[in-house]
Amino acid sequence: MILIVDDDRAIRLSIGLMLRQAGYDYDAVGTEADALAAVRKPGVELVILDMNLTCSTTGRQGIDLLRKIRILAPKAAVILLSAWGTVPLAVEGMSHGAVDFVTKPWANREFMAKIRKALADARSAAAADTVDTLDNTERQTIVKALRQADGNLSAAAQLLGITRQSLYRRMEKFGIK
């Protein structure tokens, strides 16, 4: 799910429409409190964060909120959004964990490319962090040993360092024929 955080309702609607047309699930909020509540919920993969949620144009509020989001949802990618974008602000945002910076107004095609890349990178990182279960690892190891031994149970058991009877019981457990 993508979270849009911007105080301007028109911006939230515009980005939401773009995401909906691309087939993405999203939620949109306009305040820091709502943003923090939303990132506490599981399932947020990407946050599109406006740097100025008040009349200020310094971007400080966005940097502070970015730091809080990185603590509450460390695996969520964050794309920063600002009408007052400067290179120092973008660099500071990236140093705090943002993956990209988009200035308003944006080009939909380029913005969607950045969104797709951020989501793909976040999903790849999440997949790399996933720990396989012990049962899956054991099953894969048994199958690999059986392939190396050309189906010979005695040779596979020897490769695994277990008895043939133990191998047979484990094969039965995992439904390996």
Side-chain angles (χ1 to χ4, degrees), residues 35-70:
L36 294 174
V39 297
R40 283 186 173 97
K41 298 175 189 171
V44 176
E45 294 178 282
L46 172 64
V47 178
I48 298 172
L49 175 62
D50 183 26
M51 297 298 294
N52 300 300
L53 297 177
T54 60
C55 292
S56 166
T57 60
T58 64
R60 294 298 339 141
Q61 187 179 20
I63 294 294
D64 292 342
L65 185 52
L66 169 63
R67 294 172 75 189
K68 292 172 186 175
I69 290 170
R70 301 303 311 141

Side-chain angles (χ1 to χ4, degrees), residues 18-19 46 48 79 111-119:
M18 182 177 69
L19 292 173
L46 172 64
I48 298 172
I79 294 177
F111 197 2
M112 281 307 305
K114 290 178 181 212
I115 289 168
R116 285 187 187 98
K117 182 179 182 329
L119 284 171

Side-chain angles (χ1 to χ4, degrees), residues 2-20 26-30 48-53 79-84 102-108 111 115:
I2 299 171
L3 177 65
I4 304 164
V5 183
D6 197 303
D7 60 320
D8 186 335
R9 185 174 185 272
I11 297 291
R12 292 193 308 265
L13 290 173
S14 177
I15 296 172
L17 178 61
M18 182 177 69
L19 292 173
R20 186 178 316 125
Y26 74 93
D27 191 11
V29 298
I48 298 172
L49 175 62
D50 183 26
M51 297 298 294
N52 300 300
L53 297 177
I79 294 177
L80 300 176
L81 184 65
S82 180
W84 306 95
V102 175
T103 56
K104 298 176 188 175
W106 61 83
N108 282 356
F111 197 2
I115 289 168

